[in-house]
Amino acid sequence: MTASVLNDLLRRVTDSGLLDEPTIDDDTVVGLAHLDAAGVEVEVDLDPEIEDVDDPDIDAIMTSLSDILAISEDRWRAIVDEVVSDIEDALGDEEIGSDVDLRTDLEAVGVGVFADAVIVVFAGATSFPDALVHVQLTPELEVEDIEIVGDDDEDEDGDDED
């Protein structure tokens, strides 16, 4: 079943034209896409969670992929503003540096798409040089959770939380 789900997802993504050079990588389908609202190319990882879900919802994954890639600039700015506000509230100027504008420092570098969530991965070259900011969005593209993941945080508990 694993191969058929991944092959079906790959076929659907290829037919849609949403990703450049989609391929199967382990238990996911990966490719590149242009996130127009952010003005960047991102690596996209479509995860049907075949190890955790008996009947993966490929339609939901495709809808979420289409929705995040078609997000409006206004909605994108609202997400970034909410992420920045939450990080500033949580960390304060001492940990970020008062001269760093997170709105311009954070750049989307990756998108993980699941049936019930989208994870946008941001890099902050100045503010978080050794970490990535993972922002979990609901299927409606509302911010649900924000996590700053440092190089030494991954696999801390033996799990890769991607």
Side-chain angles (χ1 to χ4, degrees), residues 23-66:
T23 59
I24 294 174
D25 183 23
D26 293 324
D27 292 338
T28 63
V29 173
V30 298
L32 299 174
H34 197 269
L35 188 55
D36 290 335
V40 295
E41 186 172 73
V42 292
E43 182 176 316
V44 178
D45 187 340
L46 306 175
D47 190 346
E49 301 178 279
I50 51 182
E51 293 179 3
D52 302 325
V53 178
D54 290 335
D55 188 21
D57 191 344
I58 302 301
D59 291 335
I61 293 170
M62 292 301 298
T63 298
S64 292
L65 173 63
S66 180

Side-chain angles (χ1 to χ4, degrees), residues 5-143:
V5 168
L6 290 172
N7 286 328
D8 184 34
L9 183 56
L10 178 62
R11 181 189 52 74
R12 301 251 327 254
V13 168
T14 301
D15 291 348
S16 75
L18 292 171
L19 297 185
D20 295 331
E21 303 174 22
T23 59
I24 294 174
D25 183 23
D26 293 324
D27 292 338
T28 63
V29 173
V30 298
L32 299 174
H34 197 269
L35 188 55
D36 290 335
V40 295
E41 186 172 73
V42 292
E43 182 176 316
V44 178
D45 187 340
L46 306 175
D47 190 346
E49 301 178 279
I50 51 182
E51 293 179 3
D52 302 325
V53 178
D54 290 335
D55 188 21
D57 191 344
I58 302 301
D59 291 335
I61 293 170
M62 292 301 298
T63 298
S64 292
L65 173 63
S66 180
D67 289 350
I68 189 66
L69 294 180
I71 192 170
S72 72
E73 287 185 34
D74 288 343
R75 182 68 198 118
W76 180 256
R77 276 193 299 275
I79 289 170
V80 171
D81 285 346
E82 184 175 345
V83 168
V84 167
S85 292
D86 287 357
I87 290 173
E88 288 174 343
D89 288 348
L91 298 180
D93 287 343
E94 302 83 45
E95 292 188 55
I96 299 172
S98 58
D99 58 336
V100 175
D101 181 358
L102 285 177
R103 282 166 187 76
T104 56
D105 190 43
L106 292 178
E107 179 177 301
V109 295
V111 174
V113 181
F114 303 84
D116 60 352
V118 173
I119 307 287
V120 180
V121 179
F122 292 90
T126 304
S127 52
F128 304 107
D130 299 322
L132 296 171
V133 178
H134 292 205
V135 178
Q136 181 175 341
L137 305 174
T138 65
E140 296 78 29
L141 302 179
E142 298 291 331
V143 175

Side-chain angles (χ1 to χ4, degrees), residues 137-156:
L137 305 174
T138 65
E140 296 78 29
L141 302 179
E142 298 291 331
V143 175
E144 187 168 306
D145 189 41
I146 301 168
E147 182 178 8
I148 299 172
V149 180
D151 290 341
D152 54 348
D153 292 341
E154 288 191 39
D155 290 325
E156 190 171 275

